[in-house]
Amino acid sequence: MVTRVRKTKSEERILTAAAELFYANGLRGVGIDQVIAASGVAKSTLYAHFRTKEELVATYLRRTDDSWMAQLQDAAARTGGGPREQLIGLFDALTDAFDRHGFFGCPFVSAAVEADLDSEARAVTVRHTRRRQSWLTELGERAGAAEPDALARQIGLLIDGALASGRLLQDRAVVEEAKSAARRLVADRT
């Protein structure tokens, strides 16, 4: 029992350190030795939990997927309105993330650029995008969109564009501009 608690705490420290480093520096910009130093675990402990860097990256991205989807859904729900308002309100999650972390962009866009096409990181990134799009499509259907798939793709592009532009321009206003574009898009499509 004690071993499992220690293992869980070590794993959590590794993942927390890796997440901070990957988010700020990209996947390729971080070496295993940096993760070890930042987490304060021994190399053998890291490798007991994650056999390879790719395994660590994939686990980080899966956790980020769950966290990011929860943040988007929470921001949408906070509007207190129906699906139309939720499609716009979800952009508040981007503002919240920018306020919390700064302008480091989207971990999934970064992973898509940095990861090999046949890597687990890319597979996790594709699953995240499909999961997000499925949720956006569902919101579009409930909002009465004639083409909910198209609306979901367009909202997804606004999300990704705001995250990428925020990273590039270091300007919080890009989220408000994306949210404004979403407002017009939802009004036109529903």
Side-chain angles (χ1 to χ4, degrees):
M1 185 68 142
V2 173
T3 304
R4 182 64 191 147
V5 171
R6 185 175 296 129
K7 181 178 178 184
T8 301
K9 286 182 180 178
S10 296
E11 184 176 34
E12 185 60 35
R13 285 179 27 211
I14 294 164
L15 285 167
T16 298
E20 291 172 7
L21 291 166
F22 290 147
Y23 189 64
N25 303 296
L27 303 179
R28 290 187 181 166
V30 176
I32 288 294
D33 289 337
Q34 289 172 285
V35 176
I36 290 167
S39 65
V41 302
K43 187 177 270 193
S44 60
T45 301
L46 183 134
Y47 284 114
H49 293 288
F50 306 100
R51 293 174 309 198
T52 64
K53 180 180 174 184
E54 184 169 343
E55 190 176 309
L56 175 61
V57 167
T59 302
Y60 151 71
L61 288 171
R62 280 191 290 276
R63 284 176 48 134
T64 301
D65 173 35
D66 289 339
S67 173
W68 185 232
M69 284 300 299
Q71 290 172 56
L72 289 170
Q73 291 168 343
D74 180 61
R78 284 193 321 248
T79 67
R84 286 182 180 142
E85 293 81 10
Q86 291 177 10
L87 283 164
I88 299 160
L90 66 86
F91 284 86
D92 292 343
L94 280 69
T95 303
D96 294 345
F98 286 158
D99 290 346
R100 200 171 41 252
H101 302 295
F103 294 98
F104 290 104
C106 175
F108 299 102
V109 171
S110 296
V113 170
E114 293 185 56
D116 292 333
L117 292 177
D118 62 345
S119 69
E120 181 65 16
R122 176 156 167 72
V124 173
T125 298
V126 169
R127 281 193 299 272
H128 162 75
T129 302
R130 288 184 178 146
R131 179 181 178 197
R132 185 191 68 189
Q133 293 309 107
S134 176
W135 174 63
L136 292 172
T137 299
E138 179 186 314
L139 282 177
E141 288 169 352
R142 291 191 296 135
E147 298 177 71
D149 289 337
L151 178 60
R153 284 191 303 274
Q154 292 164 345
I155 295 287
L157 288 170
L158 288 172
I159 293 168
D160 293 340
L163 290 168
S165 291
R167 169 76 184 223
L168 177 66
L169 301 174
Q170 296 294 303
D171 185 355
R172 187 175 197 270
V174 297
V175 175
E176 284 306 315
E177 291 167 3
K179 186 176 181 178
S180 177
R183 188 175 288 113
R184 287 191 305 276
L185 186 60
V186 169
D188 289 348
R189 296 282 190 153
T190 59

